[in-house]
Amino acid sequence: MNTKFVPVMLTPFKVSGEVDYDCLTQLTEYYLKSGAQGLFANCLSSEMYELTEVERLQVVKHVVKVANGSVPVVATGTFEGSINEQAEFIKRMNDVGTQAVIIITGLMATQHEGEDVFNQRVFQLLNLTANIPVGLYECPVPYKRLLSPDQLKLFIDTGRVKYLKDTCLDLSQVKAKIRAGFGHDFGLYDAYMVNAVESLKAGAAGLSCIQGNYFPELISWLCKNYDNDELDTEVDKVMDFFVGNMDIMHNVYPISAKYCLQKQVINISTTVRAPGKTFTSDVKNQIDALYCKGLLLQKDLQLEVWP
C-alpha cells in the first residue's frame, strides 16, 4: 500500500511577527524533498487560530504555488461564524487550489450538543459547498470532538469526505474508521505516533503527526518501510525514538520544532504567535540532545543528513 506522510505544516514568522513567505517557500520545499506526499497547510501546527482570514488564504495559496501540483494540498476552511459563513470560507479556500478543504469537528457543535446536531450541521455545510472535496479533523482546539466509525461512514457515503485526520489515540477505533472507508476514495491519517505502525498495517492512508516537523525524513522512511520484514529492527528503532521522545517534542511546540529545523537546513525563526510558549534554556538543551539522537538515527538508516 502506498502510505503517505502528510506534514502538518508550520507557519514561519519573522521576528517582527509577520508571516515569512521566503521561509515558507524553503520550508515547503524541504517537506517535499524529505518525502512528503501531501501537505496540510493552515492547521493547528500552523497556528491557524492566530492567523487572520487574509493570512490563512495567502499562506495556503503560497504553499499551493510552491508545491506546483507535485502533491495534494489540504487546508482548514472552517472557523468562527454561522454555517453559511463557514461555507463561504470553504469556497474561498477551495479557490486557492486545495485538493480538499478541512472541517474542524469541534467547530460544528458545542461539547454539550449531541451527534444529531453535529451531523445536521455537517450535512448542511456539505449542501452549501457544492461538490468541493472536504476532510474532517478531530482538532484538539477548541475541544476534541471525536467521530464514531458509524458517524464517519455517514459522511464518507456522501462521496464528499476524502480525508480524516484522526486524533482518537485508540487503535481499535482507528481500525473501525478505516473499515468505514473501504470502497471509497477516502484516507485516514493518524496523528498519534504510538500507534503509527499498527495504524498503517491496518490500512491507514498515512501519518500526519507533529513529529514530522522535527525529522520529516524519518517519518517518510517509516511510511515506506513499516511493513518491510527485513527492516523490522530498524522500524523498531525509529518507533522507539519517536515514542520515547514524545514529551520533549510536545513541550512548547511549535517553538521547539522550529528550533530543531533551524539546526538542519531551514532559516526559520523561533517566533510564534501562540500564547503561553516560553523557550527556556532547559528546553533548548533537550532539543539539542534530541537533534543529536535523530542525526545518529538518520545516519544509521543511511538517510541524507543535513548539516
mmCIF file of all heavy atoms in Angstrom, residues 4 9 14 45 67 85 97 128 179 181 202 205 253 257 300:
data_model
loop_
_atom_site.group_PDB
_atom_site.id
_atom_site.type_symbol
_atom_site.label_atom_id
_atom_site.label_comp_id
_atom_site.label_asym_id
_atom_site.label_seq_id
_atom_site.Cartn_x
_atom_site.Cartn_y
_atom_site.Cartn_z
ATOM 1 N N LYS A 4 1.303 7.517 2.947
ATOM 2 C CA LYS A 4 1.822 8.855 2.722
ATOM 3 C C LYS A 4 2.138 9.583 4.033
ATOM 4 O O LYS A 4 1.410 9.460 5.010
ATOM 5 C CB LYS A 4 0.793 9.685 1.947
ATOM 6 C CG LYS A 4 0.418 9.109 0.590
ATOM 7 C CD LYS A 4 -0.659 9.939 -0.076
ATOM 8 C CE LYS A 4 -1.039 9.351 -1.428
ATOM 9 N NZ LYS A 4 -2.111 10.138 -2.085
ATOM 10 N N MET A 9 1.805 21.482 8.548
ATOM 11 C CA MET A 9 2.805 22.496 8.267
ATOM 12 C C MET A 9 2.898 23.578 9.344
ATOM 13 O O MET A 9 1.883 24.035 9.872
ATOM 14 C CB MET A 9 2.522 23.164 6.922
ATOM 15 C CG MET A 9 2.676 22.236 5.737
ATOM 16 S SD MET A 9 2.513 23.130 4.157
ATOM 17 C CE MET A 9 3.980 24.187 4.213
ATOM 18 N N LYS A 14 8.533 36.139 10.816
ATOM 19 C CA LYS A 14 9.690 36.989 11.045
ATOM 20 C C LYS A 14 9.714 37.387 12.521
ATOM 21 O O LYS A 14 8.712 37.245 13.226
ATOM 22 C CB LYS A 14 9.611 38.237 10.170
ATOM 23 C CG LYS A 14 9.615 37.940 8.675
ATOM 24 C CD LYS A 14 9.473 39.225 7.857
ATOM 25 C CE LYS A 14 9.440 38.924 6.368
ATOM 26 N NZ LYS A 14 9.266 40.152 5.550
ATOM 27 N N SER A 45 -0.853 23.174 13.875
ATOM 28 C CA SER A 45 0.594 23.407 13.905
ATOM 29 C C SER A 45 0.975 24.690 13.180
ATOM 30 O O SER A 45 2.018 25.281 13.459
ATOM 31 C CB SER A 45 1.341 22.230 13.277
ATOM 32 O OG SER A 45 1.284 21.084 14.100
ATOM 33 N N ALA A 67 4.257 24.086 -4.211
ATOM 34 C CA ALA A 67 4.093 22.654 -4.492
ATOM 35 C C ALA A 67 3.876 22.406 -5.981
ATOM 36 O O ALA A 67 4.283 21.366 -6.513
ATOM 37 C CB ALA A 67 2.926 22.094 -3.695
ATOM 38 N N GLU A 85 -21.544 31.287 6.784
ATOM 39 C CA GLU A 85 -20.251 31.982 6.706
ATOM 40 C C GLU A 85 -19.103 30.987 6.541
ATOM 41 O O GLU A 85 -18.153 31.235 5.788
ATOM 42 C CB GLU A 85 -20.059 32.839 7.957
ATOM 43 C CG GLU A 85 -20.975 34.055 8.010
ATOM 44 C CD GLU A 85 -20.938 34.763 9.355
ATOM 45 O OE1 GLU A 85 -20.831 34.062 10.405
ATOM 46 O OE2 GLU A 85 -21.023 36.010 9.368
ATOM 47 N N GLY A 97 -6.739 26.619 -4.663
ATOM 48 C CA GLY A 97 -6.105 25.458 -5.289
ATOM 49 C C GLY A 97 -5.943 24.230 -4.419
ATOM 50 O O GLY A 97 -5.177 23.324 -4.779
ATOM 51 N N LEU A 128 -24.142 23.243 1.194
ATOM 52 C CA LEU A 128 -23.865 24.636 0.838
ATOM 53 C C LEU A 128 -22.557 24.811 0.068
ATOM 54 O O LEU A 128 -22.250 25.914 -0.382
ATOM 55 C CB LEU A 128 -23.819 25.497 2.102
ATOM 56 C CG LEU A 128 -25.157 25.730 2.825
ATOM 57 C CD1 LEU A 128 -24.917 26.381 4.182
ATOM 58 C CD2 LEU A 128 -26.068 26.610 1.964
ATOM 59 N N ARG A 179 -12.138 0.798 8.282
ATOM 60 C CA ARG A 179 -13.114 -0.098 7.646
ATOM 61 C C ARG A 179 -14.312 0.683 7.114
ATOM 62 O O ARG A 179 -14.888 0.336 6.072
ATOM 63 C CB ARG A 179 -13.589 -1.157 8.642
ATOM 64 C CG ARG A 179 -12.534 -2.214 8.978
ATOM 65 C CD ARG A 179 -13.146 -3.404 9.685
ATOM 66 N NE ARG A 179 -13.722 -3.064 10.977
ATOM 67 C CZ ARG A 179 -13.052 -3.084 12.124
ATOM 68 N NH1 ARG A 179 -11.752 -3.413 12.141
ATOM 69 N NH2 ARG A 179 -13.651 -2.768 13.257
ATOM 70 N N GLY A 181 -14.292 3.363 5.647
ATOM 71 C CA GLY A 181 -13.953 3.994 4.375
ATOM 72 C C GLY A 181 -13.658 3.034 3.250
ATOM 73 O O GLY A 181 -13.376 3.468 2.122
ATOM 74 N N ALA A 202 -3.027 -1.576 9.394
ATOM 75 C CA ALA A 202 -4.476 -1.766 9.333
ATOM 76 C C ALA A 202 -5.100 -1.098 8.117
ATOM 77 O O ALA A 202 -6.288 -1.294 7.845
ATOM 78 C CB ALA A 202 -5.124 -1.227 10.606
ATOM 79 N N ALA A 205 -4.112 5.591 5.488
ATOM 80 C CA ALA A 205 -3.516 6.153 4.278
ATOM 81 C C ALA A 205 -2.142 6.752 4.538
ATOM 82 O O ALA A 205 -1.346 6.899 3.616
ATOM 83 C CB ALA A 205 -4.439 7.212 3.691
ATOM 84 N N TYR A 253 5.818 23.233 21.913
ATOM 85 C CA TYR A 253 5.613 23.133 20.474
ATOM 86 C C TYR A 253 4.680 24.273 20.030
ATOM 87 O O TYR A 253 3.752 24.618 20.757
ATOM 88 C CB TYR A 253 4.964 21.777 20.170
ATOM 89 C CG TYR A 253 4.658 21.519 18.725
ATOM 90 C CD1 TYR A 253 5.628 21.041 17.865
ATOM 91 C CD2 TYR A 253 3.375 21.738 18.224
ATOM 92 C CE1 TYR A 253 5.334 20.795 16.534
ATOM 93 C CE2 TYR A 253 3.077 21.494 16.888
ATOM 94 C CZ TYR A 253 4.064 21.024 16.054
ATOM 95 O OH TYR A 253 3.769 20.781 14.735
ATOM 96 N N ALA A 257 9.941 22.746 17.627
ATOM 97 C CA ALA A 257 10.103 22.198 16.280
ATOM 98 C C ALA A 257 10.832 23.186 15.372
ATOM 99 O O ALA A 257 11.693 22.803 14.574
ATOM 100 C CB ALA A 257 8.742 21.850 15.694
ATOM 101 N N ASP A 300 22.324 6.037 10.707
ATOM 102 C CA ASP A 300 22.218 4.586 10.827
ATOM 103 C C ASP A 300 21.341 4.005 9.725
ATOM 104 O O ASP A 300 21.572 2.909 9.231
ATOM 105 C CB ASP A 300 21.638 4.235 12.204
ATOM 106 C CG ASP A 300 21.674 2.745 12.492
ATOM 107 O OD1 ASP A 300 22.686 2.106 12.148
ATOM 108 O OD2 ASP A 300 20.688 2.222 13.053
#
